[in-house]
Amino acid sequence: MRAARFISVATVLALAAVTGCESSGDNEAAPSTTAPAGLGSFYGQKPSWKGCGSGFECATVQVPLDYSKPSGEKVGLSVIRLPAEDKSSRIGSLLTNPGGPGGSGVDFVRQAARAFGDDLRRRFDIVGFDPRGVAASDPVKCNTGPQLDEFFATDASPDDQNETNKLGDEGKAFAQRCKTKAGTELPYVGTMYAARDMDVLRAALGDNKLTYYGASYGTYLGASYAEQFPKNIRALVLDGAVDPKLSSTELLIEQAKGFETALRAFADDCVKSGGCPFGNSADAVIDKVASFLTATDKKPLSNSRDSRKVTESLAVMGIARALYVKEYWPVLRQALTQAMQKSDGTYLLALADEMVERKADGSYSNQTDANMAVNCVDKPNPPNLATYGKAAAEAKKVAPRFGPFVVWGGLPCVYWPVQTKQEPKPVTAKGAPPIVVIGTIRDPATPYKWAQSLADQLSSGVLLTYDGDGHTAYLQGNSCITKATDDYLITADPPKDGTTCR
């Protein structure tokens, strides 16, 4: 979730379309006219919606950069919506966030809005937004394409102090570039600010109460909203939950363990499918992958796309990308076969590039920069390289293939120019209506135990389980998950706590 190397976004494009369900619900409530002191102009704004292609409408909503200084500098949030198909039975807006942090909510809705349930699309405007610092919302932009190429290719499984120092140098350089290019913005891009923005969006959209679907990091954003505005909630779905009470390094270590779980699921599937080229047992497949990564550490792979060498770090990133969604497993099988048999990392590199939104011309979206900027200010970070190295060593013990790569990916936060002393704590959202938390048992990026923990922390948490693979559940096309989620969003009546879908 946290490291720029392993960004958790809802991977909807490769997923099967979902089906809707029929239900009933109350008509839209009158919009709230109450705004916090000094923020009336923000809460009372009416977006100027304009058509932006394929039936979508786009607008910009203004929020204060610093909520303690509402008359100061402003941030324009890019917003998109697919209007409800049936205006006569419209309930309101369904605000969404795809995760990251750093994922574009505008792009998410453009790509995925029509994959939401039929009844949801009929009765809700499906709304996405780019959070502050992301994509089209005053983006944090620190690094050039070549600089990010170097950052991602750096050996994130150091074998000696020289390699560790190289990681430290890359982390320092990343942080310094963000201080130079985005220093005034960095204190204000954290999740707590983005959650406050969501309440401005709720009012600007004309909704008395918030209806929200958040995936991956979007669950942390949604939980933060619930903690700050429990009385303003109509229905919240938190899919692929992040555990708010964990420290920054605890999150990374647990995420690395999640990728190990997903790798074993891939290995089991490869063997059961027959003709697995990597071994005749899951253990043999995992050993083969581990040996391949060790060899790639010593001798990087070539690729036919450009002049880059496919280092061990890039190979691990490519593997991780494919583990996010089960539909990519055949691609991973092909990529590993190409890499192991031909020393050709072309397919793995393509997966890695997709993971971090690297374009064919060598440029990147601002996903990585925004991801780091948000994560580094959300929670306290280890004080120095040596302390951080201890966390990476712990991760390697419990997640040998992924631990070091996931943990070292967040190293720039050690050197970040803006630090918080606010320790993580449980989120209770006392006074909120039922909040549905969805967990996928073999989720690689947000381990199932996080969903269990968040549902338990929330005073009104309801756990919905998907016994399956891949990152997040709702847009995977499982009819049980789809119906339970759609029914709740439409009626605000949750499924029974502990419901499991298969």
Side-chain angles (χ1 to χ4, degrees), residues 295-313:
T296 305
D297 184 30
K298 296 176 182 177
K299 185 179 180 181
L301 307 172
S302 62
N303 91 92
S304 60
R305 303 176 75 211
D306 53 38
S307 61
R308 287 177 293 164
K309 293 293 185 181
V310 182
T311 64
E312 182 185 16
S313 292

Side-chain angles (χ1 to χ4, degrees), residues 195-440:
R196 294 197 68 173
D197 294 344
M198 283 171 55
D199 204 52
V200 174
L201 284 168
R202 173 195 60 76
L205 291 168
D207 293 325
N208 185 51
K209 303 279 188 177
L210 179 71
T211 306
Y212 174 78
Y213 168 81
S216 194
Y217 161 80
T219 67
Y220 185 54
L221 180 58
S224 298
Y225 180 90
E227 189 78 340
Q228 294 184 65
F229 304 102
K231 301 294 187 181
N232 291 359
I233 293 171
R234 179 185 169 275
L236 253 66
V237 172
L238 308 179
D239 183 7
V242 174
D243 188 344
K245 66 181 175 58
L246 296 182
S247 72
S248 58
T249 50
E250 285 173 337
L251 281 170
L252 294 173
I253 291 169
E254 288 298 323
Q255 186 181 54
K257 290 163 65 176
F259 279 107
E260 295 284 345
T261 298
L263 179 62
R264 178 161 291 277
F266 163 77
D268 282 333
D269 181 77
C270 186
V271 172
K272 290 176 182 177
S273 297
C276 182
F278 317 119
N280 56 11
S281 70
D283 285 339
V285 173
I286 291 171
D287 288 344
K288 183 78 169 179
V289 171
S291 297
F292 158 70
L293 292 174
T294 298
T296 305
D297 184 30
K298 296 176 182 177
K299 185 179 180 181
L301 307 172
S302 62
N303 91 92
S304 60
R305 303 176 75 211
D306 53 38
S307 61
R308 287 177 293 164
K309 293 293 185 181
V310 182
T311 64
E312 182 185 16
S313 292
L314 289 172
V316 171
M317 190 189 304
I319 294 170
R321 171 63 187 92
L323 292 176
Y324 267 73
V325 55
K326 190 172 183 178
E327 282 76 4
Y328 269 36
W329 289 3
V331 178
L332 177 57
R333 180 167 166 164
Q334 186 178 9
L336 286 172
T337 300
Q338 181 192 53
M340 292 178 185
Q341 295 182 0
K342 300 180 180 179
S343 297
D344 185 345
T346 300
Y347 292 165
L348 283 175
L349 185 62
L351 288 167
D353 286 350
E354 181 179 316
M355 179 88 155
V356 292
E357 296 187 2
R358 185 188 191 273
K359 303 169 188 175
D361 63 3
S363 65
Y364 289 74
S365 74
N366 94 307
Q367 178 183 257
T368 295
D369 293 341
N371 177 270
M372 200 70 71
V374 174
N375 283 321
C376 290
V377 299
D378 268 0
K379 296 188 178 189
N381 301 291
N384 52 50
L385 182 63
T387 305
Y388 207 92
K390 292 179 181 178
E394 180 184 346
K396 187 173 184 178
K397 292 178 182 177
V398 296
R401 270 69 54 175
F402 294 96
F405 300 93
V406 176
V407 172
W408 283 116
L411 181 62
C413 292
V414 171
Y415 310 103
W416 210 249
V418 182
Q419 299 283 342
T420 182
K421 295 182 180 179
Q422 184 67 48
E423 293 292 336
K425 60 182 180 180
V427 169
T428 62
K430 187 176 181 180
I435 296 173
V436 172
V437 180
I438 306 177
T440 299

